[in-house]
Amino acid sequence: MKTKKITSFLFTFTMALLLLFTTVPTQAAKEKTQTPEQAYEQFLSEKIGQNKYFQIVNIGHKNAPVLIIGKGQKEVVNGKTCFRDCKVYAFSDGQIKKMKAFRDYGGRLISLKEKNGKYYLCNGGSDYSSLYTIKKGKVITHEYFNCHSAKGADRTDWSVFKKEGKIIKNLGYLKASKYEKRRDSYKTIESVINFIQNTEVNRNNITK
């Protein structure tokens, strides 16, 4: 009788172990196969209010999709909802990471540019252009300043490349022609980025 009980216990225990080791990897596999779009959809649903506006753009490492959420005053231009500032979130190693925000560098709305196959957020003013992308989990910015009106002033540190806010390359003093050449070397993909409201319908469309 005792032998039967022990056998029954061992069988039950063995089956429980088998169930544990077959279900846990399956759950882990599901988490690993989550796409950025699926992660952003869940994040928007759980963490971001419905009165906010978002968009997904391919400015991440190797042009991976990145979530941007409009900040400040929204503006409607030709039926598009636009912003001058935005928060930025990237998906990496199964997690959403908050990046340095893309702030208002001038009077223009956020647009999307491309150079050498790489995409950038862009804004600026008549004599200033700032471009923003992500490489290997780090924010890279290209900042150009037109020095045509800077007579007698030092502007050599205004045209720079930065990584996480620190200067990694100084382009020196850019006269108007050099500034325009740098600025125009980026191709316009979208003159203004159209942000969409954080509704359930719009969130669901992310993964379609």
Side-chain angles (χ1 to χ4, degrees):
M1 195 68 163
K2 288 183 178 180
T3 301
K4 289 183 177 180
K5 287 183 178 180
I6 291 172
T7 302
S8 177
F9 172 78
L10 289 173
F11 176 80
T12 303
F13 182 73
T14 302
M15 292 302 294
L17 286 175
L18 286 172
L19 182 62
L20 175 65
F21 286 107
T22 54
T23 56
V24 171
T26 301
Q27 181 63 31
K30 287 182 180 179
E31 293 176 356
K32 286 182 179 180
T33 57
Q34 187 180 36
T35 66
E37 290 82 2
Q38 290 170 335
Y40 295 145
E41 179 186 8
Q42 183 178 354
F43 177 77
L44 287 165
S45 177
E46 297 177 355
K47 304 292 185 181
I48 306 300
Q50 289 193 359
N51 62 328
K52 299 294 184 179
Y53 289 76
F54 74 92
Q55 190 52 268
I56 293 177
V57 290
N58 295 328
I59 65 162
H61 182 53
K62 296 183 179 179
N63 288 334
V66 165
L67 173 68
I68 58 176
I69 297 175
K71 285 181 60 183
Q73 183 67 38
K74 72 175 182 179
E75 302 179 41
V76 178
V77 178
N78 295 327
K80 296 181 178 181
T81 300
C82 311
F83 289 87
R84 302 176 189 271
D85 305 74
C86 66
K87 295 180 180 180
V88 182
Y89 297 88
F91 182 75
S92 178
D93 297 325
Q95 295 183 333
I96 292 179
K97 179 182 177 183
K98 185 177 182 180
M99 311 300 293
K100 180 182 178 181
F102 187 50
R103 68 180 182 84
D104 183 3
Y105 286 97
R108 295 200 173 101
L109 299 165
I110 298 174
S111 61
L112 186 65
K113 303 277 188 175
E114 180 269 334
K115 182 176 181 178
N116 298 328
K118 184 67 183 174
Y119 292 85
Y120 300 80
L121 298 178
C122 178
N123 64 14
S126 59
D127 288 326
Y128 190 81
S129 181
S130 179
L131 300 108
Y132 175 116
T133 192
I134 298 170
K135 183 177 181 180
K136 295 182 179 179
K138 305 294 183 181
V139 172
I140 306 294
T141 56
H142 295 178
E143 303 175 15
Y144 303 108
F145 177 74
N146 187 347
C147 297
H148 70 85
S149 60
K151 294 179 181 179
D154 182 8
R155 295 291 188 272
T156 57
D157 61 343
W158 283 39
S159 296
V160 295
F161 290 175
K162 293 180 181 178
K163 179 189 288 186
E164 295 293 297
K166 295 182 179 180
I167 295 175
I168 56 174
K169 184 176 182 179
N170 192 317
L171 303 176
Y173 187 98
L174 294 183
K175 62 181 182 179
S177 59
K178 287 185 177 181
Y179 165 76
E180 291 170 0
K181 184 177 180 179
R182 288 275 187 175
R183 180 197 63 193
D184 297 341
S185 66
Y186 298 81
K187 178 184 176 182
T188 299
I189 302 302
E190 293 183 41
S191 57
V192 291
I193 291 178
N194 183 32
F195 289 74
I196 56 177
Q197 191 169 0
N198 184 28
T199 63
E200 184 177 1
V201 171
N202 286 335
R203 290 194 302 269
N204 289 339
N205 286 335
I206 292 175
T207 55
K208 287 185 177 180

